[in-house]
Every structure is written in C-alpha cells, then in structure tokens.
Amino acid sequence: MVLKGTKVYPMLKKIFVAGAVSLMSLLTACQANADNSVTISRKGDTVELKAGPLKRTLRVSGGKVTLESLTLAGKPLIADKANEVSFQISRATPNRNPAALKPADKKVINVKATQGDGTDTLLVKKPVPTTLPSEVKWTDNRSFAGRSWNRCFDLSNVAIVSPKPGMQRLIIRARSLKDPALAGVSVNIIYETYEGYPVIRKWVEVTNNGANWIKLSNLLIDDIVIKPEFSNKTLLTPSERGAGASVVAFSHTDKTRGVILASEIPSALRAIHDNGSSGYAAEHFEWVLGPAENFVSEPVFMYAFSGDVVKTSSAQSLPMDRAVESGFQHFLKEHLGISPAHIEVQAPKWVTWTNFGPEITDAIVREQAALAAKCGFVLFVLDDGWQKDRLGRDPNKERFPKFGETCKYVIAQGLRLGLWVSCYRSPGADDFKALPNAASTPEIRRHTGKAMSFASNWHKFYANDMVFLHDYYGATYFKQDFTNPRFGDMAPGHYSRTRKESLLRSLRGLLESQVILRRNAPSIANQITHEIYWGTPGVPCDLAALKCVSQYHIPPNDYSGAGHRKRRVGAPGAWEKYKPEELRKQLIKGCMNARNRFYAHRGLPMESIEYYGAATVNWKGSLTTQIQDRQVCSWLMGAPLVYAGDLASLSKEHIARYKLRFDLLKRLEKSYGIYRNFQYSGVPAPTDTDWHWWGKLNKQGYGAVVVIRGSGGEDQRTINIPWVQPDRKYKVTSQFQKKALGSFTGKQLQAGALSIKLPTLGQEILELSPQ
C-alpha cells in the first residue's frame, strides 16, 4: 500500500506549497524520505506497524507487551521503551454490584441560569456530590503496565486482519491464567493503520469473564513518553474549562517534523499529557465490570508530519500547519466520519435568543422570519421559549396558539426551520409516561423540570422525539442545550454503577442519541452546545462530538455589541444607557473574538464550529455597513454561524447589505464549496492591529481568500496565497470593491505578486476563479 500523494506526509507539499519555493524543489526533497508504505507485520515476538514515516515496533512475549521503539523517518520519538498501556484494577468488597441510590438517598441539585464575565453561566445552588452512598468498598487496588504484564498476564495472542480494503488491524490479547484476582480478565490492545495516511490509531478493550466485580481506573491508552526535543506543544483545539485539548501537535525543536496526537474521548474525560501519553482524565473516569462484561475505550491516534520550514513573504509555513489544514482534515472526514458531505451546512443562520431570550411569541417569530428572509439568511432557529415551561416538545399555547402554523410561516419565507431542545422535562411530560424513572439521580432541577438521564434508555426516547419534531413541524436543525451529564447519575435501573462511571456513560448516551437521530433523519443538521456537553460555560469542541453531530456551539456565548441581551432594541427603560459609539467598538471586538475562537479550533473542520454570535443589532447607528462586512468576513473563517439580535432594529440599508453579502457567500459556496475549506499556513495569525488573511479554497485553488486589516499596518499590503496550484492560472477579483485585480499564475500568487489597499479596520473577499 502506498500513501496517497494528495493527502498525507510527506507528499502534502505536492499541493500545499508555501512561498516562492518551486513545486519541483519540494518534490525532490520528498524523495529523500523513506518509502511511504502502510503495513503491519510480525516476525517472531516482534510486531511492526508502519504508516509512511511513522513506525511503531512492539515486542509481545510471555504476556508482556512492550513498545520497543517509536520512530519518525527513522529518528526516535520516545526516549526509552514504553509501557504501551497502563491501568488500575480494584475489587469490590463485598463481591457484588455496587448499590444504586435508593429513593430515600436522593439529593436535589437546583441550577439556575445567570450571567458572569460577559457570558452565560450557571448557578448551582447545592454542591454536586463527588461520591454517593454505597455499601461496596473498592479494595486490592493494583496497577498494571504493558511492559511488566508478565508478572500477572501469562498468555498472549497476536492477530493481524484487514477489516476492509485499505485498512489493517492488529489485535494483541493478554490474559491471566495463574493470578486468582485476575481470573477471567483479558485485555485487548487494538491498532489500525489506513492506506494513504501516516496514522496509527489505537484503543483498548478489557473483558471480565471471571466471578469478581472489578473496577477499571487510571487508564492510559497510549502510555508513552515523548523525547524532550519533541516537546514543542501546539494546541490545535483549546484546553479550557476543565477539558483538555483533543488535538495537540508535538513538534521537534526545529519545527521540521513531529506528530499530532488526537483523542476521541469526549468532553472533560479526556487527557493528553505533556509527556505525550493519552487516555482518560483520572478525576472523571472509572468503569465497573461485572461478570461477562467488557469495556471498550474510545480510540486515540497519532498523525505524523514532516517537511521544510519555508519562509514566505508574510510569515513562515510550517509542516505542522500544512498537515493540519490538508491531510489531517481529510483523515477526519474519511475515517472518523466527521462533517459528512451529504449533510448540508445550513448557513447563514439566525437565532432568536439575543434581545428576546425566552420571551418569543408567534408575532415576534413571524416578524423576525420575514426580516431574516429579506436579509438572506438560510436557517431560522427558534431558541429557548417556544415550548411549554421551556421544556419538552409541547408548544407554549399562550405564546404560540397554533405552533404548527408558526413553523409553516417560517418555512414559507424560504427559510429552513431550526428548533431548540433541552434535556430537562416537566413532571407531566410524555417521557415520564413512557419511562417513569428516566430522571437522573441526584435529582437536578431547572425551571419546573428535572434533568433526564442519558445513562438510561431515555437517550433513545430523546432521539426519537427529535425525529418526531422533524417529521411533524419540518425542522431540519436542532440546537440541544442545558447542562446535565456532568452532575452524574446513579438512579436505580440506569446503566451506571458509580457516579464517576456515569459521567462517561452519560456522555456516550448523549452522543449515541445523535447517531440514532442521524440514522432516522439522515438530512438533519444536529448541533449540541458546550453546555449540554459539560457545563455553563462549557468545554471546547472535540473529535468525539463531531463524530456524531454536524455542528458544535463553542463557548463562551458572546454578546458583544448586542446591548441589552434580554430586551428588544429601544425598549423603554432598558436601552437609554447604551451609547452607540461604545456598542460599535464592542461589535468590532466581537468580530475579533470570533476569529480568535475559530482559529483556536483549527485542528477541526471549521464548518462544524458555531460561535455565538454576530449581533444583528443597530442602536442609533451603532451597526455600520463596514461592521456588517467585518462580521461576514470574520465568521467566514468557518461558516456564517451564528447571527442573532433584533432584526427590526435594522435599516433598509442594513438589510440590503446583509442580502448582498450573503448572496455572495451562497454563490461562492455553490461554486467552490468554501465552507468546508480553510487554509492558514504561511500567512499571519489573527490580529486586530495589522493585516491577516486565510484561504477558503478547494483542491484546485479556487474559492475565496478573506483579508482583514486591523487598526494599524500599511495602507497597501502584499497578499501571498500559498495554497494555490503553482502551474494553474487564476483570475482574482475583489468582491467588496467589485474590481478585477488581474490574472496570475499560482506561482506568482504564492510569491506575493498580488497587493491590495484597505482602510484601517477594512476587509475584503478575494475570489480566485479559473482563468
């Protein structure tokens, strides 16, 4: 098998050439590398996995599994032999299933939405218990590591299979025959390689076929230690609010080579450590295994990159960046199923929340939908407030006497319909009629409702409820909200045996509900918020979420320039204190916030990231057409997701401006697929004091380049475009200025032959089309 040159290291340079370096010189450099085959082979006790430049050599002997070496292009990545896998096992005393909470043991957690630090937060009125009553104690805690397993595991098995064309899988199984405490326990370590990609993916399965109840904890799926010279870390997704990054690059000190470590573990349960080991966050993970039960971990994987550090006319082009924006993204989509092509990116999108909160009505929705259609929005989302008690699926009949007619009106404007849903239910909801014990324990209360348990069969009911809303009202998008899983669940009859175990079970249930939704309504665009995925404000987007959802609403909620977030523009007694010039500054700041937050998630497909929000709010001239253009450009680092704010505050000029710009985006998306592309290597990083730009180009180099100038910098700037094909010819058009800038070869554009003028705080969308 041979690595596909258009997808992976080292052949990435065939497409993503940086600066004025010629294509042929880079191809010559590529040829000096080792062969690019992808193989798994065994010779005696030695097993070798090779994925292009990445080679992992294991020794399996006498029950012991040792990582002998891990190399990149023949150079060692780890300092010494490694454990490969490590974990802890404890035994239940007495030997039985840990007791679930009894009704008398129930505690109540009351939560209430509030504001803090300029965003939405959650007030928890009673502390969340870290442990819950149980008669079972965990004893005989023992730690295990692959390279020392021969002390307890004395039988191993190795199998190499090909599950489907282009994929190879290695299964190493170890089991104990002599240790009574481990009787019936076996451990599988599974690896996969993929034709065309420098990737080794790995996960672990632990099976308990014995009579003892045991608990698994402290699981490191890949227990390695990266050499110090590869300790130059770059977070390609954020690490914040209690959750570590899901994509982290470890580069050599000279930046010419390294690996991207990625974890498919959800939310705050993930850990990629500074030494390169990865697995579960110890403070949030444990799993109980009764007789005949097994645990299958989420995978982690390693993606190699290498190449020259190339100086361009504006910055440096790093091999890490070129890999991230190209081959790595292709791998996520092809083998993890992220951002499937058959699900449309429904954009631009407008949401009812800002300036209205939950106080929406039929009249408001009709007014705003008509205006949204005139602005050129594609998707119109009814946020929190359309439901009875702000919970469940039944409409609030006082505010929406004929909700079905309201939905039909939205759709009749030529808009897609989106609906907000939550994971809380009122006591009389249909959910409780079907599943009386579906609520979480400890009980979590919000408004008049209770948090429902994703660690139970309710997650299936929840998914099917959304399918009903899709069928009945014509909704094509769901926003799913409210904090729940992080509080834990120990209700009788639910899946979990300990509170800590329930964290992963709940998150898995949430994600499984999305799989069920997609299976039953394949065209649905399903979104989850940072709040439902952990807290308020919650955790960043990650790979685990995007394997199951179309979009992820990243934190924090940003109301920059929106004025009074809960009152309509101009409402008496609410808006007098707001000064237009200050709101104007906030609107500009909000655009920079958006670019920074998108860029912080650049390890993920940008079309899947939603940042809330671009404020469609005008108070006494606070919103200018130049700021509208800045919003359009800033959110186009991904896709135009999300806009919000009282559309009735806009003038005819504002509406016409949004329509003009959104029509442009729709044409560019239809012609080139700009939303699903993002390039950033070899150009300046986001700034609001100078110039920066990025690409939204397809594989031929056609599409858009978005250029933004901050408060400083020169009036005219050379714009290098590293991501085009050197030998193609391109016509470049300034779409905002409606000016043809000329025809160029790709090589000229890479070298910086193009220059444009912009005023301070100006912006432009350059269209690159076939000559």
Side-chain angles (χ1 to χ4, degrees), residues 605-618:
M606 289 297 221
E607 69 272 17
S608 298
I609 304 300
E610 291 190 2
Y611 184 67
Y612 188 95
T616 54
V617 175
N618 179 50

Side-chain angles (χ1 to χ4, degrees), residues 96-108 132-136 437 439-443 489-494 496-497:
R96 64 171 179 81
N97 187 352
L101 284 185
K102 300 175 183 177
D105 297 325
K106 285 188 177 181
K107 300 178 184 297
V108 175
L132 296 171
S134 175
E135 297 176 5
V136 169
N437 298 316
S440 297
T441 300
E443 187 176 288
D489 172 41
M490 277 289 293
H494 291 188
S496 307
R497 276 71 72 91

Side-chain angles (χ1 to χ4, degrees), residues 244-255:
S246 66
V247 184
V248 182
F250 286 75
S251 302
H252 191 272
T253 51
D254 65 8
K255 301 181 181 180

Side-chain angles (χ1 to χ4, degrees), residues 115-121 556-560 565:
Q115 285 81 42
D117 296 325
T119 190
D120 298 317
T121 60
N557 297 341
D558 188 345
Y559 297 93
S560 297
R565 68 183 70 174

